[in-house]
Amino acid sequence: MGDKPIWEQIGSSFVQHYYQLFDADRTQLGAIYIDASCLTWEGQQFQGKAAIVEKLTSLPFQKIQHSITAQDHQPTPDSCILSMVVGQLKADDDQVLGFHQSFLLKNFQGAWICTNEVFRLALHNI
């Protein structure tokens, strides 16, 4: 991992941490957001740590497992990191579904937090 640019190392570490928390105990995700953070979940908008955690913990499944297919990370001109994740998830006994998720990460008081996040299932109406 040491041969990758620092933004890829930080982005990859964040993604791993995020999905470990999400799969194990979504209530712990509050630590990665601040009150100015924004989430768009399947087109619904949420702003602030409390609203985001409330949305994520109220999702209608008991267990979930994410599998990451690919992730890309870029530095931004204002010293943030843009991360894009593609993968699959399995919630409870439902079928496996594809998903796309983007994160904008910012160093805030010495820790990397998520200021912006967008999630969509990879569903197509054909």
Side-chain angles (χ1 to χ4, degrees):
M1 191 178 217
D3 58 338
K4 292 183 179 180
I6 189 68
W7 65 84
E8 286 189 21
Q9 294 176 43
I10 293 166
S12 293
S13 293
F14 177 88
V15 166
Q16 179 181 9
H17 179 67
Y18 177 88
Y19 292 110
Q20 283 176 342
L21 285 177
F22 199 108
D23 292 356
D25 182 2
R26 288 174 277 162
T27 64
Q28 300 300 309
L29 286 170
I32 67 167
Y33 300 106
I34 58 173
D35 288 335
S37 295
C38 294
L39 165 68
T40 301
W41 188 274
E42 289 290 321
Q44 291 184 296
Q45 305 255 342
F46 303 89
Q47 184 166 9
K49 179 191 297 199
I52 293 170
V53 172
E54 180 179 339
K55 172 60 180 174
L56 298 179
T57 56
S58 70
L59 293 169
F61 49 79
Q62 298 301 310
K63 62 180 179 175
I64 188 165
Q65 181 63 48
H66 289 85
S67 176
I68 306 306
T69 304
Q71 54 183 300
D72 298 296
H73 311 280
Q74 296 179 346
T76 68
D78 57 348
S79 301
C80 293
I81 299 171
L82 177 63
S83 296
M84 173 68 184
V85 178
V86 177
Q88 295 181 319
L89 60 84
K90 180 160 179 54
D92 293 332
D93 294 323
D94 294 344
Q95 68 181 6
V96 174
L97 297 171
F99 74 93
H100 305 273
Q101 197 158 9
S102 299
F103 303 95
L104 184 62
L105 310 177
K106 182 173 183 59
N107 193 308
F108 181 76
Q109 298 178 349
W112 287 93
I113 54 95
C114 179
T115 60
N116 300 79
E117 178 180 352
V118 178
F119 173 88
R120 283 279 182 176
L121 289 171
L123 303 176
H124 305 279
N125 294 327
I126 296 175

